[in-house]
Amino acid sequence: MGFTTRKAQESRKVGKSRQPPKSRKAPRPRKASRAKSAGPPPESARGDAQPVAPSPVAAFDALYDRHAPALARQAFLLTGRTRLSGEAVERAFQLAWQRWPEVARDLDPAGWVRAATHEYALSPWHRFRPSSFRSPARAAESGRPDPLLTALLRLPAPYRRALLLHDAVGLELRETAAEVEASTPAAAGRLTHAREELAERLPELGLDGASPARQRAILCERLARLAAAHPVRTPAARAVRTGGERSTRRMTRSAIGLTGLIVALTATALWTGGGERYVPPPGPPGVPAAGDPQAEHDPQQRP
């Protein structure tokens, strides 16, 4: 009897301890203020906001301001003429503005414009210009052309460009070969021959017997000094853009005018020549006229 009573008391205690606690009422959510619900959160509060892409004009101007001075110096090392160098840079950027969607999507827009600048500067058509018969730019101290510039201009154009890209611009050999559209061994051969010719003509440079890395360092320093001694003026980016747009309009109008002239000449020729037929001159009696197929097949008309 005592054991049963004690067992019941323990079960009541355990039952009381297992009862769940009384739940509290959840707090009511606060109503959002009208100011916050009036519109979307500010841009600074958005974590996934994407940066706004610059406009084509701003992107072009930034590309021009960043790379035009260096490209002008490179064009001078290729041509030895300050005016032609500035013209090459201007024409290259005008072409880039005309094809801006293509240039903007390019992996290396600066490389695109650099290749256009070098190709215009080394165009063989410049040989027929009156300025091509003049001597290259002269040094301010001596009044004579710089010996290094003279030696550079005596190199073949492919050798000169490979030397400029690798030693002055700082491209690797594979990148140089890709830009000049040649194989890597061919680009290496051009670079080696260019260095050998410069070492032979200018022994004071110290290229003979030096390692390729040392030759590259010497030429990089001397070419940079040479280009800095002959600054090239470049117009503003806005002037380049407007000049390119005017050139495009002139080319479009010229193409339309030429097409109209060809159509007018063709129509005039058809109108004036319509209805006329060539009549061969009469021959002697008994001889068929030239071009008369019926007389040619008639045995009675044959002589």
Side-chain angles (χ1 to χ4, degrees):
M1 187 74 178
F3 175 77
T4 306
T5 306
R6 189 169 28 185
K7 187 90 173 178
Q9 292 177 357
E10 289 177 0
S11 62
R12 283 196 299 269
K13 290 181 180 180
V14 172
K16 289 181 181 180
S17 62
R18 291 183 178 179
Q19 291 179 357
K22 295 181 180 180
S23 61
R24 299 180 180 180
K25 294 182 180 180
R28 296 180 180 179
R30 298 180 180 180
K31 296 182 179 180
S33 60
R34 295 181 180 180
K36 292 183 179 180
S37 61
E43 294 292 337
S44 58
R46 298 180 183 179
D48 56 346
Q50 298 180 356
V52 180
S55 63
V57 173
F60 175 84
D61 292 353
L63 180 68
Y64 182 87
D65 295 337
R66 190 182 307 117
H67 298 284
L71 292 177
R73 292 190 293 268
Q74 296 171 23
F76 174 77
L77 294 176
L78 292 175
T79 62
R81 293 172 174 80
T82 55
R83 184 175 181 180
L84 179 58
S85 304
E87 182 181 341
V89 174
E90 184 176 358
R91 293 295 179 86
F93 273 97
Q94 287 178 355
L95 183 62
W97 180 242
Q98 295 172 7
R99 304 179 182 178
W100 183 247
E102 173 188 349
V103 178
R105 291 191 300 266
D106 194 89
L107 298 178
D108 185 14
W112 194 99
V113 182
R114 180 177 60 240
T117 303
H118 292 182
E119 290 175 2
Y120 184 88
L122 296 176
S123 175
W125 295 105
H126 300 315
R127 301 175 184 175
F128 302 100
R129 304 174 65 169
S131 59
S132 62
F133 300 100
R134 304 173 186 173
S135 59
R138 301 176 181 270
E141 298 81 5
S142 61
R144 293 180 297 179
D146 190 281
L148 178 57
L149 181 60
T150 304
L152 273 177
L153 297 179
R154 289 180 180 177
L155 294 174
Y159 292 10
R160 203 183 319 154
R161 188 178 182 184
L163 182 72
L164 173 71
L165 290 173
H166 187 268
D167 291 349
V169 180
L171 299 183
E172 297 299 329
L173 188 58
R174 185 177 301 177
E175 297 171 343
T176 302
E179 185 149 336
V180 299
E181 298 181 353
S183 62
T184 303
R190 296 175 186 178
L191 181 63
T192 302
H193 289 306
R195 289 175 177 176
E196 290 176 353
E197 292 190 22
L198 290 180
E200 182 180 355
R201 294 173 181 174
L202 300 173
E204 62 272 13
L205 293 179
L207 299 176
D208 192 11
S211 63
R214 179 57 182 166
Q215 290 178 344
R216 184 178 189 179
I218 293 174
L219 289 174
C220 179
E221 190 270 334
R222 290 298 301 271
L223 292 175
R225 190 190 307 175
L226 175 61
H230 301 276
V232 179
R233 295 181 180 180
T234 54
R238 181 179 180 181
V240 174
R241 282 190 285 102
T242 54
E245 293 170 357
R246 287 195 299 267
S247 177
T248 303
R249 287 195 294 267
R250 285 195 300 266
M251 292 177 61
T252 303
R253 293 171 183 172
S254 300
I256 294 175
L258 181 60
T259 304
L261 179 61
I262 294 174
V263 172
L265 291 176
T266 305
T268 304
L270 294 175
W271 177 265
T272 57
E276 295 184 1
R277 185 166 176 258
Y278 174 73
V279 179
V287 179
D292 190 357
Q294 184 177 1
E296 292 179 357
H297 293 285
D298 190 357
Q300 297 180 358
Q301 296 291 338
R302 293 181 182 178

